[in-house]
């Protein structure tokens, strides 16, 4: 257990090494195959204090910032133990910490640090994916101040294991706003509320967490569950999106490292022409490139985290976006060469590679697709005109 107000990287590494010794990749494979939540891993993370990182003691935390949270994810993912649910859960906590009432912080944040509650994150709708602001789910204020919610969300990761969800919905319909960023609000919603129905989707990715379509039929959201002011939700959400990009980047760069280690070990042994295939430059150079790209991406990730932890969120945005883009790319690059190195065995499930080939493809699509990231860089960093 990390037990200090001054967190250093060595402590986090010790805790993660302990978890890696305790929880095997085989356990994760079983969870992924059966699409079962990795409870043992989650509990080990709680016991190690990893969910307390990024919060002060007053909310049940042990200090540290985004850097430390991201570092722990990077280490676990590098051992093939990346829990996807950390991303929605981690994202959800940030707007509550920054814009929540003291009561919301005490009630929800503290319980996330002890693992007693988990958050899902709900923004995507069938007609509002990349263009999230076009969403239709609408919460209408009732005479007593509470809200009545109707609508639908899709692709909600880990909804079955969530206690609460951070919900982004409209409080003013899309057709009634002048600017599409207006009229969106953030709510904490009890995932078990009457009027919610959820159905698992048939997602081909063997992730340990399932994705769900969630329907809202006259769901009552108590007024005290609104975060900040009504209609200002998108501004609050943006504060959580850069950390979300960095959690995803850590996960992807860690997966790339896991695959690289696997490929290198195999390339040293496999010798169909009596010489290890790792001696051939057709194999060696792509592996060396992956190593170079992993380290360059990590440099970007930790630069973004550092800026974020210094309170320079605006400056961190470019680096967070670039991190997400490069990490998705290097994961795909690593999966591709690892498959090549293993030849036919790459497709033998017992070699634990096929899963990563599909997962790496997904990394350029979710949580934000690479085109959206390129749009950000093109428009907001380079100042180019918007085309859509
Ligand atoms: C495994 C998984 C887990 C997920 N978990 C969650 C979750 O927990 N919560 C949640 O709310 N959502 C979740 N999502 C949803 C995810 O965030 C969306 O799928 C993603 O934002 C893309 O939306 P879309 O699928 O509707 O694609 P669309 O918006 O239909 O876009 C399709 C493609 O068109 C291109 N494109 C679209 N717009 C532009 C543009 N302006 N410029 C250039 N190209 C563009 C992109 O290449 C994009 O991939 C998850 C998705 C997956 C696959």
């Amino acid at each position: 257990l990390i037990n200090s107000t001054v967190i250093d990287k060595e402590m986090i590494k010790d805790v993660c090494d302990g978890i890696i010794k305790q929880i095997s990749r085989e356990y994760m494979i079983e969870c992924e195959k059966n699409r079962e939540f990795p409870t043992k891993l989650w509990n080990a993370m709680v016991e190690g204090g990893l969910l307390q990182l990024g919060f002060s003691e007053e909310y049940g935390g042990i200090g540290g910032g985004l850097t430390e949270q991201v570092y722990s994810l990077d280490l676990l993912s590098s051992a093939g133990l990346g829990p996807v649910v950390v991303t929605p859960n981690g994202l959800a906590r940030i707007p509550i910490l920054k814009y929540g009432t003291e009561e919301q912080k005490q009630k929800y944040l503290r319980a996330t640090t002890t693992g007693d509650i988990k958050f899902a994150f709900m923004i995507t709708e069938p007609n509002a994916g990349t263009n999230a602001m076009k969403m239709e789910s609408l919460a209408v204020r009732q005479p007593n101040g509470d809200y009545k919610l109707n609508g639908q969300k899709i692709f909600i990761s880990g909804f079955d294991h969530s206690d609460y969800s951070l919900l982004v919905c409209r409080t003013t319909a899309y057709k009634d706003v002048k600017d599409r960023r207006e009229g969106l609000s953030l709510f904490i919603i009890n995932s078990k509320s009457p009027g919610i129905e959820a159905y698992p989707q048939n997602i081909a990715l063997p992730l340990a967490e399932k994705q769900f379509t969630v329907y809202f039929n006259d769901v009552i959201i108590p007024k005290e569950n609104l975060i900040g002011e009504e209609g200002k939700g998108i501004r609050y959400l943006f504060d959580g999106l850069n950390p979300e990009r960095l959690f995803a980047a850590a996960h992807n760069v860690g997966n790339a490292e896991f695959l690289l280690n696997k490929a290198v070990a195999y390339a040293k042994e496999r010798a169909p022409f009596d010489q290890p295939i790792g001696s051939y430059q057709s194999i060696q150079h792509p592996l060396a490139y992956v190593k170079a790209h992993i380290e360059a991406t990590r440099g970007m990730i930790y630069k973004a985290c550092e800026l974020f932890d210094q309170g320079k969120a605006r400056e961190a945005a470019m680096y967070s976006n670039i991190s997400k883009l490069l990490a998705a790319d290097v994961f795909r690059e690593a999966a591709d060469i690892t498959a090549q190195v293993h030849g036919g065995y790459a497709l033998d499930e017992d070699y634990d590679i096929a899963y990563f080939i599909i997962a790496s493809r997904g990394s350029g699509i979710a949580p934000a697709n690479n085109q959206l990231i390129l749009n950000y860089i093109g428009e907001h960093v380079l100042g180019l005109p918007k085309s859509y």
Side-chain angles (χ1 to χ4, degrees):
L1 173 70
I2 307 168
N3 190 12
S4 163
T5 44
V6 185
I7 307 295
D8 69 26
K9 281 185 136 188
E10 280 310 305
M11 286 179 196
I12 294 169
K13 183 149 179 16
D14 284 350
V15 166
C16 290
D17 284 348
I19 294 174
I20 292 163
K21 271 198 202 115
Q22 188 191 333
I23 314 270
S24 63
R25 172 68 196 148
E26 284 65 34
Y27 167 75
M28 279 306 275
I29 293 173
E30 274 313 300
C31 292
E32 285 157 5
K33 273 197 182 144
N34 301 325
R35 302 230 54 196
E36 267 173 28
F37 186 81
T39 306
K40 260 168 73 176
L41 172 63
W42 188 257
N43 290 345
M45 291 175 71
V46 170
E47 278 163 29
L50 298 182
L51 299 181
Q52 292 172 277
L53 291 170
F55 294 94
S56 60
E57 274 178 38
E58 63 182 316
Y59 304 122
I62 48 174
L66 188 63
T67 307
E68 287 73 16
Q69 295 175 70
V70 162
Y71 183 53
S72 67
L73 251 192
D74 183 356
L75 290 173
L76 292 178
S77 302
S78 299
L81 301 180
V84 170
V85 72
V86 166
T87 301
N89 187 60
L91 186 175
R93 303 196 299 177
I94 289 166
I96 302 174
L97 180 66
K98 280 197 86 170
Y99 303 103
T101 60
E102 190 53 32
E103 206 187 336
Q104 287 171 340
K105 290 184 212 178
Q106 288 296 347
K107 179 169 175 190
Y108 299 105
L109 293 184
R110 187 171 281 281
T112 64
T113 63
T114 52
D116 288 328
I117 64 168
K118 278 190 282 305
F119 271 87
F121 172 58
M122 300 207 241
I123 186 166
T124 307
E125 298 188 4
N127 295 323
T130 312
N131 190 1
M133 292 180 222
K134 222 173 119 193
M135 68 176 63
E136 291 162 10
S137 290
L138 184 66
V140 178
R141 187 139 36 103
Q142 304 299 292
N144 68 354
D146 290 348
Y147 291 81
K148 192 184 275 186
L149 170 70
N150 281 286
Q152 181 191 349
K153 297 285 175 189
I154 196 162
F155 288 114
I156 307 308
S157 294
F159 184 75
D160 52 344
H161 280 269
S162 70
D163 304 278
Y164 293 90
S165 300
L166 180 74
L167 168 77
V168 193
C169 70
R170 290 219 149 263
T171 36
T172 309
Y174 185 70
K175 64 177 176 41
D176 296 331
V177 293
K178 284 200 190 85
D179 181 329
R180 63 198 199 107
R181 286 168 298 189
E182 286 171 12
L184 289 155
S185 298
L186 277 194
F187 290 97
I188 298 164
I189 178 171
N190 187 324
S191 300
K192 313 283 184 286
S193 301
I196 294 186
E197 282 177 40
Y199 300 94
Q201 289 173 254
N202 222 349
I203 301 291
L205 281 180
L207 295 169
E209 297 87 352
K210 295 198 218 33
Q211 280 66 43
F212 288 81
T213 304
V214 182
Y215 296 93
F216 310 116
N217 300 304
D218 289 343
V219 176
I220 299 297
I221 314 177
K223 55 180 171 299
E224 58 272 17
N225 287 23
L226 173 71
I227 298 177
E229 274 179 62
E230 183 185 307
K232 302 262 170 76
I234 210 69
R235 189 152 56 85
Y236 309 146
L237 181 68
F238 277 136
D239 279 303
L241 291 183
N242 285 323
E244 183 201 37
R245 302 215 188 316
L246 291 165
F247 292 139
H251 200 216
N252 291 335
V253 86
N255 280 338
E257 174 101 57
F258 177 73
L259 289 174
L260 179 66
N261 290 338
K262 220 172 165 50
V264 167
Y266 192 79
K268 283 179 182 169
E269 297 295 327
R270 184 74 176 165
F273 292 89
D274 303 327
Q275 204 174 319
I277 55 172
S279 65
Y280 307 149
Q281 291 181 339
S282 60
I283 298 287
Q284 195 178 103
H285 285 184
L287 292 173
Y289 255 115
V290 169
K291 180 65 181 162
H293 291 162
I294 285 174
E295 295 311 329
T297 304
R298 281 208 174 106
M300 196 60 68
I301 291 173
Y302 291 106
K303 165 120 185 145
C305 289
E306 192 185 325
L307 287 167
F308 192 89
D309 286 337
Q310 288 168 354
K312 299 175 183 164
R314 200 172 272 270
E315 289 167 53
M318 177 182 83
Y319 297 102
S320 307
N321 277 287
I322 295 178
S323 299
K324 162 66 189 61
L325 177 78
L326 297 183
D329 285 350
V330 74
F331 183 15
R332 272 161 80 173
E333 191 185 359
D336 191 56
I337 185 61
T338 303
Q340 199 63 52
V341 162
H342 283 79
Y345 299 97
L347 302 180
D348 178 335
E349 283 208 36
D350 291 346
Y351 279 72
D352 189 24
I353 294 163
Y355 157 70
F356 289 98
I357 299 173
I358 314 178
S360 69
R361 190 61 193 83
S363 69
I365 295 173
N369 58 65
N370 279 5
Q371 287 68 36
L372 188 70
I373 305 282
L374 289 167
N375 288 344
Y376 177 88
I377 299 168
E379 292 160 28
H380 299 284
V381 179
L382 304 179
L384 293 166
K386 188 170 171 174
S387 67
Y388 50 94

